[in-house]
Short mmCIF file of all heavy atoms in Angstrom, two decimals:
data_model
loop_
_atom_site.label_atom_id
_atom_site.label_comp_id
_atom_site.label_asym_id
_atom_site.label_seq_id
_atom_site.Cartn_x
_atom_site.Cartn_y
_atom_site.Cartn_z
N GLN A 336 104.08 70.26 49.86
CA GLN A 336 105.31 69.57 49.29
C GLN A 336 106.19 68.99 50.33
O GLN A 336 106.59 67.87 50.24
CB GLN A 336 105.99 70.53 48.35
CG GLN A 336 107.09 69.88 47.49
CD GLN A 336 107.74 70.85 46.45
OE1 GLN A 336 107.40 72.00 46.42
NE2 GLN A 336 108.71 70.42 45.75
N ILE A 337 106.54 69.80 51.36
CA ILE A 337 107.29 69.32 52.48
C ILE A 337 106.65 68.19 53.21
O ILE A 337 107.38 67.14 53.53
CB ILE A 337 107.58 70.49 53.45
CG1 ILE A 337 108.35 71.59 52.87
CG2 ILE A 337 108.27 69.94 54.74
CD1 ILE A 337 109.81 71.31 52.50
N ALA A 338 105.33 68.27 53.45
CA ALA A 338 104.61 67.22 54.15
C ALA A 338 104.79 65.89 53.52
O ALA A 338 104.73 64.79 54.20
CB ALA A 338 103.14 67.66 54.34
N SER A 339 104.94 65.81 52.17
CA SER A 339 105.04 64.60 51.40
C SER A 339 106.29 63.82 51.81
O SER A 339 106.35 62.55 51.56
CB SER A 339 105.00 64.80 49.95
OG SER A 339 106.14 65.50 49.44
N TYR A 340 107.20 64.52 52.35
CA TYR A 340 108.51 63.76 52.82
C TYR A 340 108.45 63.39 54.25
O TYR A 340 109.29 62.58 54.78
CB TYR A 340 109.61 64.72 52.67
CG TYR A 340 110.08 64.96 51.28
CD1 TYR A 340 109.59 66.05 50.52
CD2 TYR A 340 111.02 64.15 50.57
CE1 TYR A 340 109.99 66.24 49.26
CE2 TYR A 340 111.43 64.33 49.30
CZ TYR A 340 110.94 65.40 48.63
OH TYR A 340 111.32 65.63 47.32
N GLY A 341 107.46 63.84 55.01
CA GLY A 341 107.40 63.61 56.47
C GLY A 341 106.68 62.31 56.87
O GLY A 341 106.42 61.58 55.97
N PRO A 342 106.45 62.08 58.08
CA PRO A 342 106.90 62.96 59.24
C PRO A 342 108.43 62.87 59.44
O PRO A 342 109.10 61.97 59.00
CB PRO A 342 106.21 62.35 60.46
CG PRO A 342 105.98 60.85 60.04
CD PRO A 342 105.79 60.83 58.53
N PHE A 343 108.86 63.94 60.18
CA PHE A 343 110.26 64.23 60.28
C PHE A 343 110.68 63.79 61.72
O PHE A 343 109.93 63.89 62.74
CB PHE A 343 110.68 65.61 60.09
CG PHE A 343 110.37 65.96 58.59
CD1 PHE A 343 109.25 66.73 58.30
CD2 PHE A 343 111.29 65.62 57.64
CE1 PHE A 343 108.89 67.03 56.95
CE2 PHE A 343 111.05 66.00 56.28
CZ PHE A 343 109.83 66.63 55.89
N ASP A 344 111.90 63.43 61.90
CA ASP A 344 112.44 63.01 63.17
C ASP A 344 113.31 64.17 63.77
O ASP A 344 113.58 64.07 64.96
CB ASP A 344 113.41 61.78 63.05
CG ASP A 344 112.76 60.58 62.31
OD1 ASP A 344 111.69 60.21 62.83
OD2 ASP A 344 113.51 60.06 61.41
N PHE A 345 113.54 65.16 62.93
CA PHE A 345 114.49 66.23 63.43
C PHE A 345 114.19 67.43 62.47
O PHE A 345 114.03 67.27 61.25
CB PHE A 345 115.97 65.88 63.33
CG PHE A 345 116.88 66.83 64.02
CD1 PHE A 345 117.26 66.62 65.43
CD2 PHE A 345 117.34 67.98 63.36
CE1 PHE A 345 118.14 67.51 65.94
CE2 PHE A 345 118.19 68.90 64.00
CZ PHE A 345 118.58 68.65 65.32
N CYS A 346 114.04 68.66 63.05
CA CYS A 346 113.82 69.84 62.24
C CYS A 346 114.64 70.96 62.78
O CYS A 346 114.80 71.20 63.98
CB CYS A 346 112.37 70.10 62.36
SG CYS A 346 111.86 71.63 61.41
N PHE A 347 115.27 71.72 61.84
CA PHE A 347 116.08 72.77 62.19
C PHE A 347 115.52 74.03 61.49
O PHE A 347 115.50 74.11 60.22
CB PHE A 347 117.57 72.64 61.82
CG PHE A 347 118.48 73.77 62.28
CD1 PHE A 347 118.39 74.31 63.48
CD2 PHE A 347 119.42 74.35 61.30
CE1 PHE A 347 119.25 75.39 63.89
CE2 PHE A 347 120.28 75.35 61.73
CZ PHE A 347 120.18 75.90 62.99
N ILE A 348 115.04 75.03 62.19
CA ILE A 348 114.34 76.23 61.58
C ILE A 348 115.29 77.48 61.81
O ILE A 348 115.63 77.81 62.84
CB ILE A 348 113.04 76.55 62.37
CG1 ILE A 348 112.08 75.34 62.11
CG2 ILE A 348 112.38 77.82 61.78
CD1 ILE A 348 110.78 75.46 62.91
N ASP A 349 115.70 77.91 60.56
CA ASP A 349 116.64 79.10 60.47
C ASP A 349 116.30 79.86 59.24
O ASP A 349 117.20 80.12 58.38
CB ASP A 349 118.07 78.59 60.55
CG ASP A 349 119.05 79.73 60.72
OD1 ASP A 349 118.69 80.88 61.05
OD2 ASP A 349 120.23 79.52 60.54
N ALA A 350 115.05 80.31 59.13
CA ALA A 350 114.62 80.99 57.90
C ALA A 350 114.42 82.46 58.16
O ALA A 350 115.13 83.19 58.78
CB ALA A 350 113.61 80.23 57.16
#
Side-chain angles (χ1 to χ4, degrees):
Q336 193 174 355
I337 295 289
S339 71
Y340 288 92
F343 299 98
D344 307 310
F345 191 95
C346 179
F347 185 47
I348 300 174
D349 188 14

